[in-house]
Amino acid sequence: MTPKHVAIIMDGNGRWGIKQKKTRNFGHKEGVKVLEKIISEAIKKRIQYLTLYTFSTENWKRPKKEINFLFTLLSNYIDKELNKLDNKKVKLKIFGNINKFPNFLKNKLKYAENLTKKNNNIQVNVALNYGSREELTSAVKKLNKAKLPINEKNIKKNLYTKDIPDPEILIRTGNRNRLSNFLLWQLSYTEIYFIKKLWPDFNEKDFRNILTEFSSVRRNFGGIK
Ligand code: IPE
Ligand code: IPE
Ligand code: MG
């Protein structure tokens, strides 16, 4: 079966840059190039939601120079690719609190979301300043404030993923077997694929192989089949 929702932790850019005897930022730049391939492949496979971990709530711990580079990269990406994405009928959604982002970037991101909101080929969720613990804490706080019962249904309604199904597949590139505060609630029953390749080396074929592997997985959700 084709998954409806695939989530990806795009890890390993920095190490890739260093491996090329260049900078970590060089690796980030190369990593961006993989996006188009994977989005196009996801559209071909009729995947409805793709959620990409792009900047975590913990990534602020990185040197300013690297953070600023990432912001510039994202801004340039929107300038260059937004129309192409729109033509492919990609709907862009931001998952995370971008209030702390520089104004020029915040405005661009909001513009991109607004421009593409009626598109229906695929929804690409860009997790920016996203952290699962913060997402869950703020959901519970909202319920508390509204004096609503704390139950699974109400918590789900207050997550970024409120309107969409949980991912069937999580891919993490970069040879690290951890979740790094990504979608902890939503990944409860997700099939996880930890890939050794660094993100800039990941390609359509790797993506297709994972989809093929997934198609023969029997999921039980705690029951017996
Ligand atoms: C992931 O690559 C991209 C971001 C976190 C923005 P890293 O920058 O974490 O690369 P490594 O893991 O240090 O190689
Ligand atoms: C996860 O990668 C965040 C993104 C890919 C955006 P990290 O590189 O930040 O994760 P850790 O620090 O290795 O756990
Ligand atoms: Mg990393």
Side-chain angles (χ1 to χ4, degrees):
M1 218 187 69
T2 319
K4 288 195 176 75
H5 184 181
V6 175
I8 309 184
I9 302 176
M10 311 180 287
D11 194 31
N13 288 345
R15 276 167 283 156
W16 190 93
I18 301 300
K19 226 174 95 189
Q20 308 298 311
K21 303 208 164 21
K22 299 219 165 88
T23 58
R24 289 182 51 82
N25 284 344
F26 182 73
H28 289 310
K29 206 171 152 190
E30 196 65 24
V32 173
K33 297 183 189 162
V34 181
L35 280 173
E36 210 222 308
K37 299 185 207 168
I38 301 305
I39 293 174
S40 296
E41 192 62 31
I43 293 173
K44 253 192 234 162
K45 296 286 182 191
R46 304 212 161 276
I47 291 164
Q48 294 171 39
Y49 308 94
L50 190 63
T51 302
L52 304 171
Y53 207 8
T54 308
F55 192 87
S56 77
T57 46
E58 285 72 36
N59 286 145
W60 295 104
K61 293 177 192 164
R62 295 187 180 203
K64 248 220 145 95
K65 205 175 137 197
E66 180 166 338
I67 296 174
N68 286 336
F69 188 84
L70 288 169
F71 290 165
T72 307
L73 209 56
L74 185 57
S75 168
N76 291 344
Y77 180 77
I78 296 172
D79 291 344
K80 224 178 122 230
E81 301 294 326
L82 182 60
N83 282 332
K84 281 187 225 164
L85 292 168
D86 192 33
N87 288 337
K88 287 185 188 162
K89 294 264 171 288
V90 174
K91 175 175 175 174
L92 288 170
K93 271 271 186 195
I94 311 299
F95 281 9
N97 182 355
I98 58 167
N99 283 336
K100 273 212 289 181
F101 280 25
N103 273 329
F104 76 95
L105 184 56
K106 217 168 18 188
N107 295 337
K108 248 179 228 181
L109 289 165
K110 284 186 183 150
Y111 174 80
E113 238 182 6
N114 198 40
L115 180 82
T116 61
K117 71 180 173 206
K118 298 228 166 78
N119 290 343
N120 55 12
N121 238 353
I122 188 170
Q123 177 173 321
V124 175
N125 306 309
V126 190
L128 284 169
N129 192 22
Y130 173 88
S132 197
R133 289 180 177 178
E134 190 179 270
E135 180 186 36
L136 284 165
T137 309
S138 97
V140 175
K141 270 190 190 157
K142 273 186 215 153
L143 295 178
N144 189 37
K145 204 170 163 203
K147 297 199 165 55
L148 286 163
I150 314 268
N151 56 36
E152 288 193 16
K153 198 170 139 233
N154 282 344
I155 290 173
K156 182 177 158 91
K157 262 198 228 163
N158 284 283
L159 302 179
Y160 291 109
T161 48
K162 59 175 176 281
D163 304 317
I164 71 177
D166 289 340
E168 290 94 333
I169 294 178
L170 169 77
I171 301 168
R172 179 177 187 139
T173 60
N175 202 19
R176 297 283 181 266
N177 304 337
R178 56 183 176 241
L179 296 178
S180 303
N181 203 12
F182 190 46
L183 302 175
L184 301 180
W185 174 282
Q186 296 87 340
L187 296 178
S188 294
Y189 274 100
T190 300
E191 299 298 318
I192 302 184
Y193 297 85
F194 291 115
I195 305 298
K196 289 201 167 64
K197 274 190 180 183
L198 305 173
W199 175 252
D201 291 329
F202 190 73
N203 61 38
E204 305 94 317
K205 189 156 179 290
D206 299 316
F207 189 66
R208 277 198 298 270
N209 286 343
I210 292 168
L211 296 179
T212 307
E213 209 183 312
F214 170 80
S215 64
S216 63
V217 168
R218 200 175 63 196
R219 303 175 77 210
N220 293 338
F221 299 98
I224 301 168
K225 284 217 185 115

